[in-house]
Coordinates of all heavy atoms in Angstrom, one line a residue:
M30 N 59.1 117.2 56.4 CA 59.5 116.7 55.1 C 61.0 116.1 55.1 O 61.2 115.1 54.6 CB 59.4 117.8 54.0 CG 59.9 117.2 52.7 SD 59.6 118.4 51.4 CE 60.2 117.4 50.0
H31 N 61.8 116.9 55.8 CA 63.2 116.4 56.0 C 63.3 115.1 56.7 O 64.0 114.2 56.3 CB 64.0 117.5 56.7 CG 65.4 117.5 56.4 ND1 66.0 118.5 55.7 CD2 66.4 116.6 56.5 CE1 67.2 118.2 55.5 NE2 67.5 117.0 56.0
V32 N 62.5 114.9 57.7 CA 62.4 113.7 58.5 C 62.0 112.6 57.6 O 62.5 111.5 57.5 CB 61.5 113.8 59.7 CG1 61.3 112.5 60.4 CG2 62.1 114.9 60.7
L33 N 60.9 112.8 56.8 CA 60.4 111.8 55.9 C 61.4 111.4 54.9 O 61.6 110.2 54.5 CB 59.1 112.3 55.2 CG 57.9 112.4 56.1 CD1 56.7 113.0 55.2 CD2 57.4 111.1 56.7
L34 N 62.1 112.3 54.3 CA 63.1 112.1 53.3 C 64.2 111.1 53.9 O 64.5 110.1 53.2 CB 63.8 113.4 53.0 CG 65.0 113.4 52.0 CD1 64.6 112.8 50.7 CD2 65.6 114.7 51.9
H35 N 64.7 111.4 55.1 CA 65.7 110.5 55.6 C 65.1 109.1 56.0 O 65.7 108.1 55.9 CB 66.5 111.2 56.8 CG 67.4 112.2 56.2 ND1 68.6 111.9 55.6 CD2 67.3 113.6 56.2 CE1 69.2 113.0 55.2 NE2 68.4 114.0 55.5
A36 N 63.9 109.2 56.6 CA 63.3 107.9 57.0 C 62.9 107.0 55.8 O 62.7 105.8 55.9 CB 62.0 108.2 57.8
A37 N 62.9 107.7 54.6 CA 62.6 106.9 53.4 C 63.9 106.2 52.9 O 63.8 105.2 52.2 CB 62.1 107.8 52.2
Q38 N 65.1 106.6 53.4 CA 66.3 106.0 53.0 C 66.7 104.9 53.9 O 67.3 103.9 53.5 CB 67.5 107.1 53.1 CG 67.3 108.3 52.2 CD 67.1 107.9 50.8 OE1 67.8 107.1 50.2 NE2 66.0 108.5 50.2
E39 N 66.4 105.0 55.2 CA 66.8 104.0 56.2 C 66.1 104.3 57.5 O 65.5 105.4 57.6 CB 68.3 104.2 56.5 CG 68.6 105.6 57.0 CD 70.1 105.9 57.2 OE1 70.9 105.0 57.2 OE2 70.5 107.1 57.2
P40 N 65.9 103.4 58.4 CA 65.3 103.6 59.6 C 66.1 104.7 60.4 O 67.4 104.6 60.4 CB 65.3 102.3 60.4 CG 65.6 101.3 59.3 CD 66.3 102.0 58.2
V41 N 65.5 105.7 60.9 CA 66.2 106.8 61.7 C 65.8 106.8 63.1 O 64.7 106.3 63.5 CB 65.9 108.2 61.0 CG1 66.5 108.2 59.6 CG2 64.5 108.5 61.1
F42 N 66.7 107.3 64.0 CA 66.3 107.4 65.4 C 66.5 108.9 65.8 O 67.2 109.6 65.0 CB 67.1 106.4 66.3 CG 68.5 106.5 66.1 CD1 69.3 107.3 66.9 CD2 69.2 105.7 65.1 CE1 70.7 107.3 66.8 CE2 70.5 105.7 65.0 CZ 71.3 106.5 65.8
G43 N 65.9 109.2 66.9 CA 65.9 110.6 67.3 C 67.2 111.4 67.3 O 67.3 112.4 66.6
L44 N 68.2 110.8 67.9 CA 69.5 111.5 68.0 C 70.1 111.7 66.6 O 70.6 112.8 66.4 CB 70.5 110.7 68.9 CG 71.8 111.4 69.2 CD1 71.7 112.8 69.9 CD2 72.7 110.5 70.0
A45 N 70.1 110.7 65.8 CA 70.7 110.8 64.4 C 69.9 111.9 63.6 O 70.5 112.7 62.9 CB 70.6 109.5 63.7
M46 N 68.6 112.0 63.8 CA 67.8 113.0 63.1 C 68.2 114.4 63.6 O 68.2 115.3 62.9 CB 66.3 112.6 63.4 CG 65.4 113.2 62.4 SD 65.8 112.7 60.6 CE 65.9 114.2 59.9
K47 N 68.3 114.5 65.0 CA 68.7 115.8 65.6 C 70.0 116.2 65.0 O 70.2 117.4 64.6 CB 68.8 115.6 67.1 CG 69.2 116.8 67.9 CD 69.2 116.5 69.3 CE 70.0 117.3 70.2 NZ 70.3 118.7 69.9
Q48 N 71.0 115.4 64.9 CA 72.3 115.7 64.3 C 72.2 116.1 62.9 O 72.8 117.1 62.4 CB 73.3 114.6 64.5 CG 73.7 114.4 66.0 CD 74.4 113.1 66.3 OE1 74.4 112.2 65.5 NE2 74.9 113.0 67.5
E49 N 71.4 115.4 62.1 CA 71.2 115.7 60.7 C 70.6 117.1 60.5 O 71.0 117.9 59.7 CB 70.4 114.6 60.0 CG 69.9 114.9 58.6 CD 71.1 115.1 57.6 OE1 72.2 114.8 57.9 OE2 70.8 115.6 56.5
L50 N 69.6 117.4 61.3 CA 68.9 118.7 61.2 C 69.9 119.8 61.6 O 69.9 120.8 61.0 CB 67.6 118.7 62.1 CG 66.5 117.8 61.6 CD1 65.3 117.7 62.6 CD2 66.0 118.3 60.2
A51 N 70.7 119.5 62.6 CA 71.7 120.5 63.1 C 72.7 120.8 61.9 O 73.1 121.9 61.7 CB 72.5 120.0 64.3
R52 N 73.1 119.7 61.2 CA 73.9 119.9 60.0 C 73.3 120.9 59.0 O 74.1 121.6 58.3 CB 74.2 118.5 59.4 CG 75.3 118.4 58.4 CD 75.5 117.0 57.9 NE 74.4 116.6 57.0 CZ 74.2 116.9 55.7 NH1 75.1 117.7 55.2 NH2 73.2 116.5 55.0
H53 N 72.0 120.8 58.9 CA 71.3 121.7 58.0 C 71.1 123.1 58.6 O 70.4 123.9 58.0 CB 70.0 121.1 57.5 CG 70.1 120.0 56.6 ND1 70.4 120.2 55.2 CD2 69.9 118.7 56.7 CE1 70.5 119.0 54.6 NE2 70.2 118.1 55.5
G54 N 71.5 123.3 59.8 CA 71.3 124.6 60.5 C 70.1 124.7 61.4 O 69.8 125.8 61.8
Y55 N 69.4 123.6 61.6 CA 68.2 123.7 62.4 C 68.6 123.1 63.8 O 68.9 121.9 63.9 CB 67.0 122.8 61.9 CG 66.6 123.1 60.5 CD1 66.9 122.3 59.4 CD2 65.8 124.3 60.3 CE1 66.5 122.7 58.1 CE2 65.4 124.6 59.0 CZ 65.8 123.8 57.9 OH 65.4 124.1 56.7
R56 N 68.5 124.0 64.8 CA 68.8 123.6 66.1 C 67.5 123.2 66.8 O 66.6 124.1 67.0 CB 69.5 124.7 67.0 CG 70.7 125.2 66.3 CD 71.7 125.8 67.3 NE 73.0 125.2 67.1 CZ 73.4 124.0 67.6 NH1 72.6 123.4 68.5 NH2 74.6 123.5 67.4
I57 N 67.3 121.9 67.0 CA 66.0 121.5 67.4 C 66.1 120.6 68.7 O 67.0 119.7 68.6 CB 65.1 120.9 66.3 CG1 64.2 119.8 66.7 CG2 66.0 120.4 65.1 CD1 63.2 119.4 65.6
G58 N 65.5 120.9 69.7 CA 65.6 120.2 71.0 C 64.7 119.0 71.0 O 63.8 118.9 70.2
P59 N 64.9 118.1 72.0 CA 64.1 116.9 72.2 C 62.6 117.3 72.4 O 61.7 116.6 72.0 CB 64.7 116.2 73.4 CG 65.7 117.1 74.0 CD 66.0 118.2 73.0
G60 N 62.4 118.5 73.0 CA 61.0 118.9 73.2 C 60.2 119.2 71.9 O 59.0 119.3 71.9
T61 N 61.0 119.4 70.9 CA 60.4 119.6 69.6 C 60.4 118.4 68.7 O 59.5 118.0 68.0 CB 61.1 120.7 68.8 OG1 61.2 121.9 69.7 CG2 60.4 121.1 67.5
L62 N 61.6 117.7 68.7 CA 61.8 116.6 67.9 C 60.9 115.4 68.2 O 60.3 114.8 67.3 CB 63.3 116.1 67.9 CG 63.6 115.0 67.0 CD1 63.4 115.3 65.5 CD2 65.1 114.5 67.2
Y63 N 60.8 115.0 69.4 CA 60.0 113.8 69.7 C 58.6 114.0 69.5 O 57.9 113.1 68.9 CB 60.4 113.3 71.1 CG 61.8 112.7 71.1 CD1 62.9 113.4 71.6 CD2 62.0 111.4 70.5 CE1 64.2 112.9 71.5 CE2 63.3 110.9 70.4 CZ 64.4 111.6 70.9 OH 65.7 111.1 70.8
P64 N 58.0 115.2 69.9 CA 56.6 115.4 69.5 C 56.4 115.3 68.0 O 55.4 114.9 67.4 CB 56.3 116.7 70.0 CG 57.2 116.9 71.2 CD 58.4 116.2 70.8
L65 N 57.4 115.8 67.2 CA 57.3 115.8 65.8 C 57.3 114.3 65.2 O 56.4 114.0 64.4 CB 58.5 116.6 65.2 CG 58.7 116.5 63.6 CD1 57.6 117.2 62.9 CD2 60.0 117.1 63.2
L66 N 58.2 113.5 65.8 CA 58.2 112.1 65.3 C 56.9 111.4 65.7 O 56.4 110.7 64.9 CB 59.4 111.4 66.0 CG 60.8 111.9 65.4 CD1 61.9 111.3 66.3 CD2 61.0 111.5 64.0
H67 N 56.5 111.7 66.9 CA 55.3 111.0 67.4 C 54.1 111.4 66.6 O 53.2 110.6 66.2 CB 55.0 111.3 68.9 CG 56.1 110.7 69.8 ND1 56.3 111.2 71.1 CD2 57.0 109.8 69.6 CE1 57.3 110.5 71.6 NE2 57.8 109.6 70.7
G68 N 54.0 112.7 66.2 CA 53.0 113.3 65.4 C 52.9 112.6 64.0 O 51.9 112.3 63.5
L69 N 54.1 112.4 63.4 CA 54.2 111.8 62.1 C 53.8 110.3 62.2 O 53.1 109.8 61.3 CB 55.7 111.9 61.6 CG 56.1 113.3 61.1 CD1 57.6 113.3 60.9 CD2 55.3 113.7 59.9
E70 N 54.1 109.7 63.3 CA 53.7 108.3 63.5 C 52.1 108.3 63.7 O 51.5 107.4 63.1 CB 54.4 107.7 64.7 CG 54.0 106.2 64.8 CD 54.9 105.4 65.7 OE1 55.6 106.0 66.6 OE2 55.0 104.2 65.4
R71 N 51.6 109.2 64.5 CA 50.2 109.2 64.7 C 49.4 109.4 63.4 O 48.3 108.9 63.2 CB 49.8 110.3 65.8 CG 48.9 109.7 66.8 CD 48.5 110.8 67.9 NE 49.7 111.2 68.6 CZ 50.1 112.5 68.6 NH1 49.5 113.4 67.9 NH2 51.2 112.9 69.2
S72 N 50.0 110.2 62.5 CA 49.4 110.5 61.2 C 49.6 109.4 60.2 O 49.1 109.4 59.1 CB 50.0 111.8 60.6 OG 49.9 112.8 61.5
G73 N 50.3 108.3 60.7 CA 50.5 107.2 59.8 C 51.6 107.4 58.7 O 51.6 106.6 57.8
L74 N 52.4 108.4 58.9 CA 53.5 108.6 57.9 C 54.8 107.9 58.3 O 55.6 107.6 57.4 CB 53.7 110.1 57.8 CG 52.5 111.0 57.4 CD1 52.8 112.4 57.3 CD2 51.8 110.5 56.2
L75 N 55.0 107.7 59.5 CA 56.1 106.9 60.1 C 55.6 105.8 60.9 O 54.5 105.8 61.5 CB 57.0 107.8 60.9 CG 57.8 108.9 60.3 CD1 58.6 109.6 61.4 CD2 58.7 108.4 59.2
K76 N 56.5 104.7 61.0 CA 56.1 103.6 61.9 C 57.4 103.3 62.7 O 58.5 103.2 62.1 CB 55.7 102.4 61.0 CG 55.5 101.1 61.8 CD 54.0 101.0 62.1 CE 53.7 99.8 63.0 NZ 53.8 100.1 64.4
S77 N 57.2 103.2 64.0 CA 58.5 103.0 64.8 C 58.5 101.6 65.3 O 57.5 100.9 65.6 CB 58.5 104.0 66.0 OG 57.6 103.7 66.9
V78 N 59.8 101.1 65.5 CA 60.0 99.8 66.2 C 61.2 100.1 67.1 O 62.1 100.9 66.8 CB 60.4 98.7 65.2 CG1 59.2 98.2 64.4 CG2 61.6 99.1 64.3
S79 N 61.1 99.4 68.3 CA 62.2 99.5 69.2 C 63.1 98.3 69.1 O 62.6 97.2 68.9 CB 61.7 99.5 70.7 OG 61.1 100.7 70.9
H80 N 64.4 98.5 69.0 CA 65.3 97.4 69.2 C 66.6 97.8 69.7 O 66.9 99.0 69.8 CB 65.4 96.5 67.9 CG 65.7 97.1 66.6 ND1 67.0 97.4 66.2 CD2 64.9 97.5 65.7 CE1 66.9 97.9 65.0 NE2 65.7 98.0 64.7
R81 N 67.3 96.8 70.2 CA 68.6 97.1 70.9 C 69.7 97.5 70.0 O 69.9 96.8 68.9 CB 68.9 95.8 71.7 CG 70.0 96.0 72.7 CD 70.1 94.8 73.6 NE 69.0 94.7 74.6 CZ 68.8 95.5 75.6 NH1 69.8 96.3 76.0 NH2 67.8 95.3 76.4
A82 N 70.4 98.6 70.3 CA 71.5 99.0 69.4 C 72.6 99.5 70.4 O 72.3 100.4 71.2 CB 71.0 100.1 68.5
G83 N 73.7 98.9 70.3 CA 74.9 99.3 71.2 C 74.5 99.3 72.6 O 74.8 100.2 73.4
G84 N 73.8 98.2 73.0 CA 73.5 98.0 74.4 C 72.4 98.8 75.0 O 72.1 98.7 76.2
R85 N 71.7 99.5 74.2 CA 70.5 100.2 74.7 C 69.4 100.1 73.7 O 69.6 99.9 72.5 CB 70.8 101.7 75.0 CG 71.5 102.4 73.8 CD 71.5 103.9 74.1 NE 70.2 104.4 74.1 CZ 69.9 105.7 74.2 NH1 70.8 106.6 74.3 NH2 68.6 106.1 74.2
M86 N 68.2 100.3 74.3 CA 67.0 100.3 73.4 C 66.9 101.6 72.6 O 67.0 102.6 73.2 CB 65.7 100.0 74.2 CG 65.6 98.6 74.8 SD 65.8 97.3 73.6 CE 64.1 97.3 72.9
R87 N 66.6 101.4 71.4 CA 66.4 102.6 70.6 C 65.2 102.5 69.7 O 64.9 101.4 69.3 CB 67.7 102.7 69.7 CG 67.9 104.1 69.3 CD 69.4 104.3 68.9 NE 69.9 105.4 69.7 CZ 71.2 105.8 69.8 NH1 72.1 105.1 69.0 NH2 71.6 106.8 70.5
R88 N 64.5 103.6 69.5 CA 63.3 103.6 68.7 C 63.7 104.1 67.3 O 64.1 105.2 67.2 CB 62.2 104.5 69.4 CG 60.9 104.5 68.7 CD 59.8 105.1 69.6 NE 59.4 104.2 70.7 CZ 58.5 103.2 70.6 NH1 57.8 103.1 69.5 NH2 58.2 102.5 71.6
F89 N 63.5 103.2 66.4 CA 63.8 103.5 65.0 C 62.4 103.8 64.2 O 61.5 103.1 64.4 CB 64.5 102.3 64.3 CG 65.9 102.1 64.7 CD1 66.1 101.3 65.8 CD2 66.9 102.7 64.0 CE1 67.4 101.1 66.3 CE2 68.2 102.5 64.5 CZ 68.5 101.7 65.6
Y90 N 62.5 104.8 63.4 CA 61.3 105.2 62.6 C 61.6 104.9 61.2 O 62.6 105.3 60.6 CB 61.1 106.7 62.8 CG 60.6 107.1 64.2 CD1 61.5 107.3 65.2 CD2 59.3 107.2 64.5 CE1 61.1 107.6 66.5 CE2 58.8 107.5 65.8 CZ 59.8 107.7 66.8 OH 59.4 108.0 68.0
R91 N 60.6 104.3 60.5 CA 60.8 104.1 59.1 C 59.5 104.7 58.4 O 58.4 104.8 59.0 CB 61.1 102.7 58.6 CG 60.2 101.6 59.2 CD 60.5 100.2 58.6 NE 61.6 99.5 59.0 CZ 62.7 99.2 58.3 NH1 62.7 99.4 57.0 NH2 63.7 98.5 58.8
I92 N 59.6 105.0 57.2 CA 58.5 105.6 56.4 C 57.5 104.5 56.1 O 57.8 103.4 55.9 CB 59.0 106.4 55.2 CG1 58.0 107.4 54.7 CG2 59.4 105.4 54.1 CD1 58.6 108.4 53.8
T93 N 56.2 104.9 56.0 CA 55.1 104.0 55.6 C 54.8 104.3 54.2 O 55.2 105.4 53.6 CB 53.9 104.2 56.5 OG1 53.5 105.6 56.2 CG2 54.2 104.1 58.0
P94 N 54.0 103.4 53.5 CA 53.5 103.8 52.1 C 52.8 105.1 52.1 O 53.0 105.9 51.1 CB 52.6 102.6 51.8 CG 53.1 101.5 52.7 CD 53.6 102.1 54.0
R95 N 52.0 105.4 53.1 CA 51.4 106.7 53.2 C 52.4 107.8 53.3 O 52.2 108.9 52.7 CB 50.4 106.7 54.4 CG 49.5 107.8 54.5 CD 48.5 107.5 55.5 NE 47.7 108.7 55.8 CZ 46.6 108.6 56.6 NH1 46.3 107.5 57.2 NH2 45.9 109.7 56.8
G96 N 53.4 107.6 54.1 CA 54.5 108.6 54.2 C 55.2 108.9 52.9 O 55.5 110.0 52.6
R97 N 55.4 107.8 52.1 CA 56.0 107.9 50.8 C 55.2 108.8 49.9 O 55.7 109.6 49.1 CB 56.3 106.6 50.1 CG 57.5 105.9 50.7 CD 57.9 104.7 49.9 NE 58.8 103.9 50.7 CZ 60.1 104.2 50.8 NH1 60.6 105.1 50.1 NH2 60.9 103.4 51.5
K98 N 53.8 108.5 50.0 CA 52.9 109.4 49.1 C 53.0 110.8 49.5 O 53.1 111.7 48.7 CB 51.5 108.9 49.3 CG 51.1 107.8 48.3 CD 49.7 107.3 48.5 CE 48.7 108.1 47.7 NZ 47.3 107.5 47.8
A99 N 53.0 111.1 50.8 CA 53.1 112.4 51.4 C 54.4 113.1 50.9 O 54.5 114.3 50.6 CB 52.9 112.5 52.9
L100 N 55.5 112.3 51.0 CA 56.8 112.8 50.6 C 56.8 113.2 49.1 O 57.3 114.3 48.7 CB 57.9 111.8 50.9 CG 59.3 112.2 50.5 CD1 59.7 113.4 51.3 CD2 60.2 111.0 50.8
L101 N 56.2 112.4 48.2 CA 56.1 112.7 46.8 C 55.3 113.9 46.5 O 55.7 114.8 45.7 CB 55.5 111.5 46.0 CG 56.5 110.3 45.8 CD1 55.7 109.2 45.1 CD2 57.7 110.7 45.0
A102 N 54.2 114.1 47.3 CA 53.4 115.2 47.1 C 54.1 116.5 47.5 O 54.1 117.5 46.8 CB 52.1 115.1 47.9
A103 N 54.8 116.4 48.6 CA 55.6 117.5 49.1 C 56.7 117.9 48.2 O 57.0 119.0 47.9 CB 56.2 117.2 50.5
R104 N 57.3 116.8 47.6 CA 58.4 117.1 46.6 C 57.9 117.8 45.4 O 58.6 118.7 44.9 CB 59.1 115.8 46.2 CG 60.4 116.0 45.5 CD 61.2 114.8 45.4 NE 60.6 113.8 44.5 CZ 61.1 112.6 44.2 NH1 62.2 112.2 44.9 NH2 60.5 111.8 43.4
A105 N 56.8 117.5 44.9 CA 56.2 118.2 43.8 C 56.0 119.7 44.1 O 56.3 120.5 43.3 CB 54.9 117.6 43.4
K106 N 55.5 120.0 45.3 CA 55.3 121.3 45.7 C 56.6 122.1 45.8 O 56.8 123.2 45.4 CB 54.6 121.4 47.1 CG 53.2 121.0 47.1 CD 52.5 121.9 46.0 CE 51.0 122.1 46.3 NZ 50.5 122.9 45.1
V107 N 57.6 121.4 46.4 CA 58.9 122.1 46.6 C 59.6 122.3 45.2 O 60.2 123.3 44.9 CB 59.9 121.3 47.5 CG1 61.3 121.8 47.5 CG2 59.3 121.3 48.9
D108 N 59.4 121.3 44.3 CA 60.0 121.5 42.9 C 59.3 122.7 42.2 O 60.0 123.5 41.6 CB 59.7 120.3 42.1 CG 60.6 119.1 42.4 OD1 61.6 119.3 43.1 OD2 60.3 118.0 41.9
E109 N 58.0 122.9 42.4 CA 57.3 124.0 41.8 C 57.9 125.3 42.4 O 58.2 126.2 41.6 CB 55.8 123.8 42.2 CG 54.9 124.8 41.4 CD 53.5 124.5 41.9 OE1 53.1 123.4 42.1 OE2 52.8 125.5 42.1
L110 N 58.0 125.4 43.7 CA 58.6 126.6 44.3 C 60.0 126.8 43.8 O 60.4 128.0 43.5 CB 58.5 126.4 45.8 CG 59.2 127.6 46.6 CD1 58.4 128.9 46.3 CD2 59.2 127.3 48.1
H111 N 60.8 125.8 43.7 CA 62.1 125.9 43.3 C 62.2 126.5 41.9 O 63.0 127.4 41.6 CB 62.8 124.5 43.3 CG 64.2 124.5 42.9 ND1 65.2 124.6 43.8 CD2 64.8 124.3 41.7 CE1 66.4 124.6 43.2 NE2 66.2 124.4 41.9
H112 N 61.4 126.0 41.0 CA 61.3 126.5 39.6 C 61.0 128.0 39.6 O 61.7 128.8 39.0 CB 60.3 125.8 38.8 CG 60.8 124.5 38.3 ND1 60.2 123.3 38.5 CD2 62.0 124.2 37.6 CE1 60.9 122.3 37.9 NE2 62.0 122.8 37.5
E113 N 60.0 128.4 40.4 CA 59.6 129.8 40.4 C 60.7 130.7 41.1 O 60.9 131.8 40.6 CB 58.3 129.9 41.2 CG 57.7 131.3 40.9 CD 56.2 131.4 41.2 OE1 55.7 130.6 42.0 OE2 55.5 132.3 40.7
L114 N 61.4 130.2 42.0 CA 62.5 130.9 42.7 C 63.6 131.2 41.7 O 64.3 132.3 41.8 CB 63.1 130.2 43.9 CG 62.3 130.2 45.2 CD1 62.9 129.2 46.1 CD2 62.3 131.6 45.8
H115 N 63.8 130.3 40.7 CA 64.8 130.5 39.8 C 64.4 131.1 38.4 O 65.2 131.2 37.5 CB 65.6 129.1 39.5 CG 66.3 128.8 40.8 ND1 67.6 129.2 41.0 CD2 66.0 128.0 41.8 CE1 68.0 128.7 42.2 NE2 67.0 128.0 42.7
E116 N 63.1 131.4 38.3 CA 62.7 132.0 37.1 C 63.2 133.5 37.0 O 63.2 134.2 38.0 CB 61.1 132.1 37.1 CG 60.5 131.0 36.3 CD 59.0 130.9 36.5 OE1 58.4 132.0 36.5 OE2 58.5 129.8 36.6
E117 N 63.6 133.9 35.8 CA 64.1 135.2 35.7 C 62.9 136.2 35.8 O 63.1 137.3 36.4 CB 64.7 135.3 34.3 CG 65.9 136.3 34.3 CD 66.7 136.2 33.0 OE1 66.9 135.1 32.5 OE2 67.0 137.3 32.5
H118 N 61.8 135.9 35.3 CA 60.7 136.8 35.4 C 59.5 136.1 35.9 O 58.6 135.6 35.2 CB 60.3 137.3 34.0 CG 61.5 138.0 33.3 ND1 61.9 139.2 33.7 CD2 62.2 137.7 32.3 CE1 63.0 139.6 33.0 NE2 63.2 138.7 32.1
P119 N 59.4 136.0 37.2 CA 58.2 135.3 37.8 C 57.0 136.0 37.4 O 57.0 137.2 37.2 CB 58.5 135.5 39.4 CG 59.9 135.6 39.5 CD 60.4 136.4 38.3
R120 N 55.9 135.2 37.3 CA 54.7 135.7 36.8 C 54.2 136.9 37.6 O 54.2 136.8 38.9 CB 53.7 134.6 36.9 CG 52.5 134.6 35.9 CD 51.9 133.2 35.9 NE 51.0 133.0 37.0 CZ 49.7 133.4 36.9 NH1 49.3 134.0 35.9 NH2 48.9 133.2 38.0
R121 N 53.6 137.9 37.0 CA 53.0 139.0 37.8 C 51.6 138.6 38.1 O 50.9 138.0 37.2 CB 53.0 140.3 37.0 CG 54.4 140.9 36.9 CD 54.4 142.2 36.1 NE 55.7 142.7 35.9 CZ 56.3 143.5 36.8 NH1 55.6 143.9 37.9 NH2 57.5 143.9 36.7
I122 N 51.2 138.8 39.3 CA 49.9 138.3 39.7 C 48.9 139.4 40.1 O 47.7 139.2 40.4 CB 50.0 137.3 40.9 CG1 50.7 138.0 42.1 CG2 50.7 136.1 40.4 CD1 50.6 137.1 43.3
A123 N 49.4 140.7 40.2 CA 48.5 141.7 40.7 C 47.8 142.5 39.6 O 47.0 143.4 39.9 CB 49.3 142.7 41.6
G124 N 48.1 142.1 38.3 CA 47.3 142.7 37.2 C 47.9 144.1 36.8 O 47.4 144.7 35.9
G125 N 49.0 144.5 37.5 CA 49.5 145.9 37.2 C 50.4 145.8 36.0 O 50.7 144.7 35.4
Q126 N 50.8 146.9 35.4 CA 51.7 147.0 34.2 C 53.1 147.0 34.6 O 53.5 147.7 35.5 CB 51.3 148.2 33.4 CG 49.9 148.3 32.9 CD 49.5 147.0 32.1 OE1 50.2 146.7 31.2 NE2 48.4 146.4 32.4
Ligands
ZN220 ZN1 69.2 116.0 55.5

């Protein structure tokens, strides 16, 4: 979801994404990040293009319309959880008194 969020703002590439995730406290290596990006692309949520940046080829990922839909759906779920986390009296669900 984090990757989709940033890819919705601008085309992202692996290294920038790795640094952004590190900023949030996620230490994620290339062996995890690249399969994740490829998986999102295979699922049709991201689309990559290669172009030259600073003298080297770089693969940039941008979000697809399908990715935007998935991001909105995920956001609704996270909002719901967020509300419940901040409720003073979360609903009791076990039927006890
Ligand atoms: Zn971020």
Side-chain angles (χ1 to χ4, degrees):
M30 179 175 181
H31 208 112
V32 172
L33 290 178
L34 173 66
H35 286 288
Q38 301 306 309
E39 60 186 340
V41 295
F42 53 93
L44 183 62
M46 202 58 234
K47 178 177 158 26
Q48 288 167 347
E49 169 62 12
L50 290 171
R52 194 177 70 78
H53 286 287
Y55 302 105
R56 307 207 125 275
I57 149 168
T61 306
L62 181 62
Y63 289 99
L65 172 67
L66 290 170
H67 297 159
L69 289 169
E70 183 163 28
R71 229 177 301 114
S72 309
L74 305 180
L75 293 179
K76 175 96 185 89
S77 71
V78 288
S79 288
H80 51 87
R81 192 167 288 285
R85 51 167 296 185
M86 289 305 281
R87 205 155 237 175
R88 186 166 285 273
F89 288 86
Y90 292 84
R91 50 171 81 239
I92 200 164
T93 62
R95 187 168 172 175
R97 282 190 193 278
K98 271 178 92 173
L100 180 59
L101 284 176
R104 191 164 73 181
K106 286 307 207 185
V107 170
D108 284 349
E109 189 182 319
L110 175 62
H111 182 88
H112 281 126
E113 193 161 21
L114 281 171
H115 291 276
E116 263 170 40
E117 213 170 314
H118 303 290
R120 206 163 85 83
R121 288 179 181 274
I122 58 169
Q126 300 304 310

